Amino acid sequence: NPDLERDPKVYVKSEGNYIYDVEGKKYLDSFASILTTMCGHNNSEIIEKIKAQFDVLDFFPNFGDHYCIPMVALSKKLTEIAPEGLTSFFYVNSGSESNETAIKAAWAYQLEQGFKNRTKIIHRRGSYHGTTVTVTAACGLPWFNEKYPVDSNMLEVPPCDCDHCQCDCSKEYGTCGMQCLKDTEALILKEGPETIAALIMDPLPGSNSGYPIAPQEYMD
């Protein structure tokens, strides 16, 4: 990308919600470094916790039946605050890896249940789920996957974008009868319910095109 060569930005310092480049220019990190520093940069409480842990155990992977105390403690905390029934946790390095694993888990589950033909994943137009091969195919942003072979297992449906409805119904929310859901159901019936493994979506839209949170009846 030649644009990257024209005005490269090199950051050397961070503080609170701001970062500084090599020339001393200050920037507001309005996206929390792609949703990774929501507690602010150079947060002294976090830094002290990291230092204390490094003095005891710097790192060991949770591979197979190997664990460490912080991982166990975090899992226990998540069990307490997560919705009922969510009691197992799989730690990964990024959102891409998380969604890739979720799709693999969906495929594995359907196969273990005896549904070997359930391989199709439904995603919503305009959605973003990551940059690895499988989740790129499940992205509803055309410029993310236009250079790669079309994956017939990935199916696209309209999003629930009540502010700018993408369905051909010319109605507003409250009178539309949730046309986006009807379109989704129509696609499932067309493809065959026996071929659908899962639907991937972001209930709280993050790094996508800015859709509003869907109405509760859509989520139900």
Side-chain angles (χ1 to χ4, degrees):
N1 187 342
D3 290 342
L4 303 179
E5 299 178 6
R6 295 193 188 103
D7 186 26
K9 298 171 182 62
V10 181
Y11 302 107
V12 297
K13 178 184 173 183
S14 61
E15 182 180 38
N17 295 325
Y18 295 91
I19 53 174
Y20 300 80
D21 67 16
V22 69
E23 297 175 349
K25 188 175 180 180
K26 183 179 180 181
Y27 301 82
L28 173 63
D29 187 4
S30 61
F31 201 26
S33 297
I34 314 184
L35 305 175
T36 59
T37 57
M38 276 83 75
C39 296
H41 291 281
N42 288 32
N43 185 307
S44 59
E45 181 180 358
I46 294 176
I47 291 174
E48 290 304 315
K49 293 287 186 181
I50 292 174
K51 287 180 178 178
Q53 180 60 43
F54 263 63
D55 287 338
V56 180
L57 175 65
D58 57 350
F59 172 75
F60 198 82
N62 59 317
F63 185 76
D65 59 350
H66 299 276
Y67 309 96
C68 59
I69 294 299
M71 185 189 306
V72 175
L74 177 57
S75 299
K76 182 179 180 181
K77 180 65 176 179
L78 289 174
T79 301
E80 295 171 353
I81 65 177
E84 185 177 356
L86 294 181
T87 57
S88 297
F89 306 97
F90 185 78
Y91 296 101
V92 294
N93 298 309
S94 69
S96 298
E97 189 177 350
S98 172
N99 287 327
E100 192 91 7
T101 302
I103 291 176
K104 287 168 63 180
W107 281 335
Y109 173 82
Q110 299 292 1
L111 186 62
E112 290 177 3
Q113 293 298 309
F115 303 113
K116 63 180 181 180
N117 293 323
R118 289 187 178 179
T119 58
K120 297 176 183 177
I121 305 293
I122 297 174
H123 66 272
R124 305 191 303 165
R125 186 182 307 129
S127 61
Y128 172 76
H129 300 297
T131 57
T132 47
V133 173
T134 303
V135 292
T136 296
C139 279
L141 299 167
W143 53 89
F144 268 86
N145 50 37
E146 61 187 2
K147 294 181 175 66
Y148 312 110
V150 176
D151 189 336
S152 59
N153 281 316
M154 303 301 168
L155 307 175
E156 187 171 281
V157 296
C160 185
D161 185 5
C162 296
D163 292 343
H164 306 89
C165 183
Q166 300 184 25
C167 300
D168 187 21
C169 66
S170 302
K171 296 180 180 179
E172 296 183 355
Y173 173 64
T175 61
C176 65
M178 290 272 93
Q179 185 63 43
C180 49
L181 278 182
K182 292 179 180 178
D183 290 349
T184 300
E185 182 181 31
L187 177 70
I188 293 173
L189 294 174
K190 176 185 175 182
E191 296 289 332
E194 70 281 358
T195 69
I196 308 298
L199 178 146
I200 183 170
M201 65 171 291
D202 34 5
L204 299 175
S207 50
N208 63 4
S209 53
Y211 294 150
I213 298 174
Q216 188 60 45
E217 65 174 305
Y218 176 89
M219 297 304 301
D220 292 340

